[in-house]
C-alpha cells in the first residue's frame, strides 16, 4: 500500500530524515518506536503531506505523493491522522467535527462534477450526435450526502458510547473522550490507513486504556495502521511489525517477539533497557 523509498527531510541544513526505507502492506499494524527528536513525527508528517520531503519517494496506492503535483486533499481522504493533542476543532460540536471533512469533500465532488458537466454539454453542442461525450452521473444531492454522513457519524459516536455528546463542544470532554472522537473522525473518511502520532502521550494514565482498546478494535477489523507510540504493551501485542527510528534512520525492523527479545542494534538495546 505504501512504499517509502530513501525518504529524506531537512529543515535548513539540519538533516532530520536520512533515507527511510519501509513498505507498509494492507492490514499491517506498524509500531514506530524511537527516542524523542529522532524524526518519528516528521516521518508521519511526510506520509500525510504535512511536510514536503527533500528527497526520495512515497508511493501510496501507486502514486508518488512526494511529488509536488499531487492533489493533497485527494490523498488525505485515503490517509487518516490522529495527533497527540487531538486537534479537534474547538468551535465545532463533536458531531460537526466528525462530519466536516467527509461532508465537505463529497459535496465538493458534486460541485466538480457539475462544473465538468457544464463544460461537456457546451462542447457537445459542437460535436456530431455520434461523438457526444457522456455526462458524469450525479446520483446524490448535497442534502442526501449530509444526511448520510450524519448517520454514519452518529453510528461511529454510538460505537464509542458518545452519541449523547454529539451536540456538545470538545472542551467539555475528557482527554480520552477527545482522542476517541479524533479516532472516529479519521475513520469517518473510510481511509485506507490511519497514522497515529503518540495518541496516548497527552492522556492521564486512567484514560490510556480506553483509547488503546479502540485502536485494538480497529486493528482487529483489519485497518492498516502506523502508530508512533511509547506503549510497549500495544507494540508487543497488537503490532505486526515494529520499527526503531534513531537519528533519522530505521535502525531495526522486526516482528514484535524478535524486536523485543533479540534486539540487534546497540542503540535499540540501550533504548529498551531504559524503558523495559
Ligand atoms: P520525534 O517525533 O521523534 O520526537 P520530530 O520528528 O518531531 O521527532 O523532530 C525531529 C527533529 O526535527 C527535532 O530535532 C526537531 O527539532 C526538528 N524539527 C521538527 N520539525 C521542525 C521544523 N518545522 N523546523 C525545524 N526543525 C524541526
Ligand atoms: Mg513526535
Amino acid at each position: 500500500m505504501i512504499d517509502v523509498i530513501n525518504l529524506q527531510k531537512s529543515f535548513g541544513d539540519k538533516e532530520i530524515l536520512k533515507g527511510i526505507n519501509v513498505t507498509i502492506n494492507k492490514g499491517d499494524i506498524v509500531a514506530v518506536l524511537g527516542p524523542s527528536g529522532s524524526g518519528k513525527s516528521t516521518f508521519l508528517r511526510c506520509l500525510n503531506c504535512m511536510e514536503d520531503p527533500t528527497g526520495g519517494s512515497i508511493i501510496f496506492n501507486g502514486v508518488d505523493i512526494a511529488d509536488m503535483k499531487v492533489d493533497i486533499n485527494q490523498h488525505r481522504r485515503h490517509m487518516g491522522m490522529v495527533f497527540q493533542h487531538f486537534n479537534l476543532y474547538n468551535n465545532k460540536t463533536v458531531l460537526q467535527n466528525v462530519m466536516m471533512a467527509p461532508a465537505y469533500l463529497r459535496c465538493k465532488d458534486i460541485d466538480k462534477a457539475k462544473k465538468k458537466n457544464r463544460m461537456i454539454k457546451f462542447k457537445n453542442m459542437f460535436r456530431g450526435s455520434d461523438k457526444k461525450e457522456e455526462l458524469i452521473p450525479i446520483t446524490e444531492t448535497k442534502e442526501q450526502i449530509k444526511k448520510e454522513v450524519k448517520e454514519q457519524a452518529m453510528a461511529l459516536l454510538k460505537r464509542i458510547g458518545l452519541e449523547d455528546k454529539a451536540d456538545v463542544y470538545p472542551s467539555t470532554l475528557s482527554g480520552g473522550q477527545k482522542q476517541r472522537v479524533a479516532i472516529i473522525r479519521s475513520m469517518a473518511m473510510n481511509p485506507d490507513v490511519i497514522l497515529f502520532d503518540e495518541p496516548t502521550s497527552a492522556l492521564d494514565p486512567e484514560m490510556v486504556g480506553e483509547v488503546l482498546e479502540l485502536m485494538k478494535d480497529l486493528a482487529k477489523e483489519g485497518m492498516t495502521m502506523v502508530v508512533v507510540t511509547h506503549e510497549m504493551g500495544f507494540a508487543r501485542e497488537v503490532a505486526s511489525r515494529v520499527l526503531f527510528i534513531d537519528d533519522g534512520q530505521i535502525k531495526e525492523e522486526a516482528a514484535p517477539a524478535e524486536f523485543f527479545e533479540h534486539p540487534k542494534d546497540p542503540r535499540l538495546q540501550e533504548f529498551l533497557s531504559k524503558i523495559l
Side-chain angles (χ1 to χ4, degrees):
M1 182 185 287
I2 312 177
D3 246 320
V4 180
I5 305 158
N6 194 26
L7 176 66
Q8 296 161 47
K9 175 68 186 174
S10 299
F11 291 108
D13 55 8
K14 224 169 117 200
E15 216 185 344
I16 305 300
L17 300 182
K18 303 176 178 174
I20 300 266
N21 292 287
V22 65
T23 298
I24 295 155
N25 298 307
K26 193 169 161 42
D28 269 353
I29 314 291
V30 178
V32 181
L33 309 186
S36 168
S38 57
K40 304 180 299 296
S41 295
T42 305
F43 170 55
L44 288 195
R45 290 168 62 84
C46 285
L47 291 184
N48 196 33
C49 292
M50 294 166 79
E51 299 285 358
D52 297 323
T54 24
S57 7
I58 302 168
I59 313 293
F60 178 50
N61 290 335
V63 177
D64 186 355
I65 57 172
D67 186 335
M68 298 298 194
K69 289 194 284 291
V70 299
D71 179 345
I72 291 181
N73 278 331
Q74 281 304 325
H75 163 57
R76 288 212 187 119
R77 316 167 83 130
H78 301 287
M79 201 182 266
M81 181 123 172
V82 173
F83 302 88
Q84 184 175 354
H85 295 288
F86 329 123
N87 295 23
L88 296 174
Y89 297 102
N90 288 319
N91 57 348
K92 305 271 182 209
T93 65
V94 166
L95 179 63
Q96 285 167 341
N97 264 279
V98 180
M99 283 182 64
M100 200 158 51
Y104 172 77
L105 287 170
R106 286 178 58 189
C107 287
K108 210 168 136 185
D109 283 345
I110 291 202
D111 289 336
K112 274 193 216 158
K114 282 184 180 160
K115 195 172 163 195
K116 190 102 191 283
N117 282 348
R118 281 200 294 275
M119 281 304 296
I120 294 172
K121 278 183 196 160
F122 180 73
K123 286 185 191 156
N124 280 350
M125 295 196 308
F126 305 97
R127 289 180 174 127
S129 55
D130 53 330
K131 287 196 186 126
K132 294 206 188 297
E133 190 180 333
E134 297 230 7
L135 295 178
I136 301 165
I138 299 174
T139 52
E140 289 176 310
T141 64
K142 289 188 183 178
E143 284 63 39
Q144 284 170 325
I145 287 179
K146 280 181 195 148
K147 186 166 171 273
E148 217 177 274
V149 169
K150 183 173 176 182
E151 278 164 12
Q152 195 207 5
M154 286 306 296
L156 285 166
L157 281 171
K158 191 162 181 199
R159 173 181 168 156
I160 58 169
L162 293 181
E163 68 267 46
D164 59 329
K165 301 284 187 189
D167 297 320
V168 308
Y169 288 87
S171 58
T172 63
L173 302 181
S174 73
Q177 290 172 332
K178 281 182 194 167
Q179 194 60 304
R180 288 185 293 128
V181 169
I183 292 171
I184 61 154
R185 176 177 65 171
S186 74
M187 290 162 64
M189 298 290 294
N190 295 318
D192 294 332
V193 51
I194 303 181
L195 313 175
F196 296 80
D197 195 357
E198 299 198 27
T200 58
S201 295
L203 298 177
D204 291 334
E206 73 269 24
M207 292 171 184
V208 169
E210 65 194 66
V211 171
L212 291 178
E213 276 311 308
L214 177 57
M215 292 169 63
K216 280 183 203 168
D217 280 350
L218 267 181
K220 274 191 215 135
E221 287 166 18
M223 176 58 79
T224 309
M225 298 161 64
V226 181
V227 186
V228 173
T229 186
H230 297 295
E231 292 293 331
M232 297 303 139
F234 180 87
R236 241 180 225 273
E237 290 162 35
V238 185
S240 47
R241 270 183 304 145
V242 190
L243 307 182
F244 177 62
I245 296 192
D246 181 41
D247 191 26
Q249 288 171 315
I250 295 180
K251 295 280 176 69
E252 191 131 337
E253 174 177 353
E258 180 70 14
F259 186 94
F260 290 105
E261 311 311 332
H262 306 288
K264 289 173 198 69
D265 180 75
R267 290 275 300 160
L268 173 59
Q269 290 167 358
E270 187 193 331
F271 179 80
L272 291 176
S273 72
K274 280 187 201 147
I275 50 170
L276 294 180

